[in-house]
Amino acid sequence: QKEVEQNSGPLSVPEGAIASLNCTYSDRVSQSFFWYRQYSGKSPELIMSIYSNGDKEDGRFTAQLNKASQYVSLLIRDSQPSDSATYLCAVNDGSGNTGKLIFGQGTTLQVKP
Amino acid sequence: DTEVTQTPKHLVMGMTNKKSLKCEQHMGHRAMYWYKQKAKKPPELMFVYSYEKLSINESVPSRFSPECPNSSLLNLHLHALQPEDSALYLCASSREQGDNYGYTFGSGTRLTVV
């Protein structure tokens, strides 16, 4: 059973702080890793993708990947109340070109003004 | 046009009803997906279509029947559903099945079975 693990939270940070969200995955063959943001009652929104070891920055977001440790993280700098949402880590199913994404349970982030 | 459009946004149906969910994209994508998301759970894959042919069925009960009439349109036909089928149904598309660049979800259809 391929798994993606996230701490469900809630993770609470003050406005302006750095929020750090973590994810581990079990399938060593996976090559693509994604972070989705989901507001309550809405559909998931793709905010970051990462394919190579190291860091990838996009605005206030930085994704970090360590394939040897099977670990992917998302840092949100200068957190805003509008960042309060559930963040889903997703990993591609490495067994063939299925297109299937395997999601973690999600981490709820609360940014307090 | 970079959107995946789903209709209706909300649907309430009885257990004896037949209804359909619709998904449309005009990005020229050749793979389309149905996911189901229950409250406070992550999305789970139901079906994958590639070049208008069913590629993956994740052992979904036959009361859910997908259809891909053309490369832009994906339907999900619902019949004799149970209350536990109440969920957010999400459609997504990608350039090719397994291109692994992630995909954009539609806004979803929130289904309630009574």
Side-chain angles (χ1 to χ4, degrees), chain B residues 55-99:
Chain B
S55 174
I56 294 176
N57 176 342
E58 291 280 283
S59 302
V60 179
S62 60
R63 57 185 184 269
F64 295 92
S65 176
E67 178 196 21
C68 189
N70 60 58
S71 61
S72 299
L73 189 58
L74 184 66
N75 297 321
L76 185 62
H77 302 297
L78 313 172
H79 173 55
L81 294 194
Q82 303 297 309
E84 58 264 30
D85 296 320
S86 298
L88 180 66
Y89 288 84
L90 297 162
C91 176
S93 69
S94 64
R95 292 178 304 175
E96 302 278 343
Q97 182 179 3
D99 68 6

Side-chain angles (χ1 to χ4, degrees), chain A residues 8-9 27-28 32 56-57 60 63 66-67 84-86 99-103 106 108 110:
Chain A
S8 62
D27 186 2
R28 286 194 169 276
S32 306
K56 178 182 178 183
E57 186 174 321
R60 295 187 296 113
N66 183 326
K67 291 185 180 179
S84 298
T86 296
K100 177 179 179 178
L101 290 184
I102 302 168
F103 287 84
T108 299
Q110 297 174 345

Side-chain angles (χ1 to χ4, degrees), chain A residues 6 22 25 27 33-34 54 59-60 63 68 78 102 105 109 111:
Chain A
Q6 293 181 255
N22 305 313
Y25 60 94
D27 186 2
F33 308 87
F34 309 96
R60 295 187 296 113
D78 188 24
I102 302 168
Q105 293 291 317
L109 174 65
V111 181

